[in-house]
Structures are given as structure tokens and as C-alpha cells.
């Protein structure tokens, strides 16, 4: 498993932007071989996949954030990012980064695909 430490997040008004970071350590092999993802969980709701990125930089997004969020990774620094723009109140949630030491698969938006998780960071968007 990988040790993931998140930073960023906070409170912002609707239409604003925030960036989340997720630094990795203790991984096996090359960080670039890890499938990485961002998930979020709002109160009373299930955790949902938001964005994922493979080692070659290929990314996928949920329909709810497509065009507003950008996932990226710096394989030299072992850091994952989520740039969030045009934020809406419905984006309010606890956000988690996740990692698995394999290529991303068809199940990349399923929690069960990942075996390492960050501690979570709160994002609150006010109207």
C-alpha cells in the first residue's frame, strides 16, 4: 500500500476555484505505474468517483465534473492534483485521493479498485 497525504481544499463561493494535492510515499516500484483517482463523499451519500488518471496521463471524469475539474499528476514529484473550477454548492463533500499499483481498468471509478486512500479533505462551496 501507498501512504497518501492530502492538502488543499477549504471553503469557497460558487463559481470559485480550489486545488487539491495528494503526495505519495512508500510505494512499490514506479509511481508512474499507479492508477490514481479522486473520490468524494457528501453527507448521507455514497462515495463516488470524480476523476481518474493513468500513468501515461490519460484521464477520465464523471459527468458531474467534466469540463470543470482537471486531474493531473507529477510523476517526478509523486504528487496527484485536482484543479476544481466553476465550483457549485453540490460539489460540497469530503474529497479523497486513491491509488492502486496497476494500470487503470474499466472499474477505475469503483472504490474497490483502490487499496490506498488519503485522509480526506473538506471542500465546501457556498451559494
Amino acid at each position: 500500500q501507498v501512504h497518501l497525504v492530502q492538502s488543499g481544499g477549504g471553503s469557497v463561493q460558487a463559481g470559485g476555484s480550489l486545488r487539491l494535492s495528494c503526495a505519495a510515499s512508500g510505494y512499490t516500484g514506479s509511481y508512474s505505474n499507479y492508477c490514481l483517482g479522486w473520490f468524494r463523499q457528501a453527507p448521507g451519500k455514497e462515495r463516488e468517483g470524480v476523476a481518474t488518471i493513468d500513468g501515461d496521463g490519460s484521464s477520465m471524469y464523471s459527468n458531474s465534473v467534466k469540463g470543470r475539474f482537471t486531474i493531473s499528476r507529477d510523476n517526478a514529484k509523486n504528487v496527484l492534483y485536482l484543479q476544481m473550477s466553476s465550483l457549485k454548492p453540490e460539489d460540497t463533500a469530503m474529497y479523497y485521493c486513491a491509488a492502486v499499483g496497476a494500470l487503470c481498468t474499466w472499474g477505475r471509478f469503483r472504490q474497490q479498485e483502490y487499496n490506498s486512500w488519503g485522509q480526506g479533505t473538506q471542500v465546501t462551496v457556498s451559494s
Side-chain angles (χ1 to χ4, degrees), residues 5 29 34-35 37 40 45-47 57-59 62 72 75 77-78 83-84 88 96 103 108 119-121 123 126:
V5 178
Y34 279 73
C35 177
R40 67 185 182 187
K45 294 188 177 181
E46 293 187 357
R47 191 173 297 188
S58 58
S59 57
S62 67
S72 62
N75 289 335
K77 296 181 179 180
N78 305 329
Q83 178 66 47
M84 304 181 290
K88 305 175 181 180
Y96 299 89
L103 296 177
R108 60 200 294 168
Q119 80 277 18
T121 186
V123 171
S126 58

Side-chain angles (χ1 to χ4, degrees), residues 38-40 47-52 61-62 64 108-110:
W38 287 101
F39 287 72
R40 67 185 182 187
R47 191 173 297 188
E48 63 170 348
V50 172
T52 70
Y61 299 90
S62 67
S64 61
R108 60 200 294 168
F109 281 98
R110 299 173 67 241

